[in-house]
Amino acid sequence: MRAVLLVQVGKPLENAKVPTPEIGPSDVLVRVAAAGICHSDVHYRNGISKIDNLPVTLGHEVAGRVEEVGSKLTHISVRDRVCVHYLVHCRTCEFCVRGLEQFCRSGQMIGKHRDGGYAEFINVPGANVVLLPDEIPFEAGAIMMCSSATAFHSLNKARFKAGEVIAIFGFGGLGFSALQLARAYNCGDAYVVEINPAKLALAATMGAIAIDARAADPVEQIKDATAGRGVDVALELIGSAKTIRQAVLCLGPLGRTALVGLTAESMSIHPYPELINKEVAIIGVSDHLAAELPALIEFARSGKLRFPPETLRVIDLDAAQINAALDALQDSIDHVRTVIVPSSDK
Ligand SMILES: [Zn+2]
Ligand SMILES: [Zn+2]
């Protein structure tokens, strides 16, 4: 089968012909119909996130059709439409038994620790496939498995409730899902903080109040707009000390900020006025949980979470096209999600 491999860190991905995986009795072979290209893949290629077991097929946002089912599995059939939960976990360690598989002692990420979806086929444990309803296109199903799932997890970690006012810092793939999900939860006002005019305009068309961080301090703008009160929940999806601090400062009493964006920077907090006095919480968010996927899929099935065609770019399973998409993500010029749809004629 065709696959696109990371052979050497710091080098472009390479086209390869590799054996089609052989599945075990508890595994499923999925014919990849769509594989999302994620910012994490940029970090794998450039070595910011370390991968030891090279070469590896990248791609952790995967949807497709079941091609072959292991003999022990009964919950899934050939031809089923599925998407793939990217964390393969042991189900027996102290975290897995509590449904906290993102801390699994022996967890493996698909498309990093084991071969992923930049290929014609992928072999995954049967426990990692989730049925994808006919109403959801494969491209959306793939993207949902990472950016939407993480956005959903951040809302859950922030204990977001109907009617609450939210501020979303950063309107890339995560923010695009987070805003739709907050609205699906019947949020109060939703503020989107960005510096990119196109993203601000898009957020406004989706019902958000656009906060242009270039125009004035976004905290001041949010405080002004909320009569000094601030927001209930702030999601930080950018990963910079400056915006993390803004996400804390824009909270009102009992507010929660969920930190999703990654940064190596430090930031300072003045505990008494900024945290203690308001009883606000700063919450770290890592990955998402398999248990969250059914609710997420239902939001998409019912049309509350959508990825209109103009927000997606489709490319072939081809190293040159994938490398170009990763370059665009690296330079932060990509405003849409790029999805690999393998052509069937090669
Ligand atoms: Zn991802
Ligand atoms: Zn485990």
Side-chain angles (χ1 to χ4, degrees):
M1 69 171 186
R2 289 183 293 142
V4 174
L5 309 184
L6 176 62
V7 178
Q8 202 180 337
V9 167
K11 294 278 166 59
L13 307 189
E14 298 179 18
N15 287 318
K17 287 273 185 193
V18 300
T20 302
E22 300 214 356
I23 61 167
S26 302
D27 298 333
V28 171
L29 186 69
V30 176
R31 179 185 286 272
V32 176
I37 295 184
C38 179
H39 213 115
S40 304
D41 297 320
V42 177
H43 294 323
Y44 301 148
R45 190 183 63 167
N46 65 19
I48 288 176
S49 296
K50 217 169 153 298
I51 298 188
D52 296 324
N53 54 313
L54 295 176
V56 70
T57 304
L58 297 185
H60 56 270
E61 306 180 359
V62 184
R65 267 193 204 277
V66 173
E67 182 84 7
E68 202 182 324
V69 181
S71 57
K72 280 192 187 164
L73 299 178
T74 54
H75 70 294
I76 207 95
S77 308
V78 170
R79 298 282 303 156
D80 277 350
R81 302 175 85 247
V82 294
C83 42
V84 176
H85 178 46
Y86 64 55
L87 190 67
V88 176
H89 53 287
C90 77
R91 299 176 178 270
T92 54
C93 73
E94 75 264 40
F95 295 110
C96 282
V97 295
R98 290 159 60 201
L100 301 170
E101 75 271 8
Q102 81 266 52
F103 307 119
C104 176
R105 295 277 182 191
S106 56
Q108 283 194 318
M109 175 137 177
I110 288 171
K112 182 182 182 188
H113 302 116
R114 50 186 286 155
D115 285 330
Y118 291 5
E120 288 180 276
F121 296 96
I122 182 172
N123 172 18
V124 293
N128 281 67
V129 297
V130 185
L131 286 173
L132 184 67
D134 290 339
E135 296 93 329
I136 307 175
F138 284 119
E139 292 86 346
I143 295 168
M144 281 166 50
M145 291 297 101
C146 181
S147 64
S148 307
T150 304
F152 189 48
H153 187 56
S154 71
L155 288 167
N156 291 336
K157 291 295 293 183
R159 306 185 296 278
F160 186 68
K161 296 188 294 290
E164 289 195 318
V165 176
I166 189 168
I168 297 169
F169 287 76
F171 202 63
L174 282 160
F176 185 75
S177 291
L179 175 59
Q180 294 184 71
L181 292 167
R183 289 174 61 82
Y185 268 116
N186 293 316
C187 63
D189 286 340
Y191 297 89
V192 166
V193 181
E194 253 297 341
I195 56 173
N196 180 310
K199 292 181 183 178
L200 285 164
L202 177 63
T205 64
M206 293 168 63
I209 300 163
I211 300 288
D212 185 348
R214 297 164 307 174
D217 177 8
V219 177
E220 293 302 321
Q221 293 187 64
I222 290 171
K223 286 282 171 79
D224 284 349
T226 55
R229 182 182 166 279
V231 301
D232 300 300
V233 163
L235 305 183
E236 205 287 336
L237 310 175
I238 297 166
S240 89
K242 185 178 174 186
T243 45
I244 291 172
R245 190 166 155 70
Q246 290 168 349
V248 175
L249 295 185
C250 75
L251 295 174
L254 301 174
R256 291 87 67 200
T257 185
L259 306 187
V260 183
L262 304 180
T263 177
E265 300 168 357
S266 298
M267 91 168 166
S268 62
I269 284 284
H270 192 171
Y272 175 44
E274 294 171 2
L275 293 185
I276 297 167
N277 212 18
K278 296 193 286 184
E279 291 199 344
V280 304
I282 302 173
I283 301 164
V285 176
S286 178
D287 282 323
H288 63 273
L289 300 170
E292 291 169 319
L293 296 178
L296 186 69
I297 287 170
E298 181 52 28
F299 279 133
R301 195 198 60 75
S302 61
K304 290 175 176 166
L305 175 63
R306 293 176 59 246
F307 299 89
E310 64 271 21
T311 64
L312 299 179
R313 179 187 304 132
V314 173
I315 63 171
D316 196 2
L317 176 61
D318 171 67
Q321 293 182 48
I322 296 171
N323 283 312
L326 291 170
D327 293 343
L329 273 176
Q330 176 149 295
D331 298 336
S332 293
I333 57 170
D334 208 0
H335 301 154
V336 295
R337 296 292 285 188
T338 303
V339 182
I340 302 162
V341 174
S343 62
S344 51
D345 57 353
K346 286 185 189 163

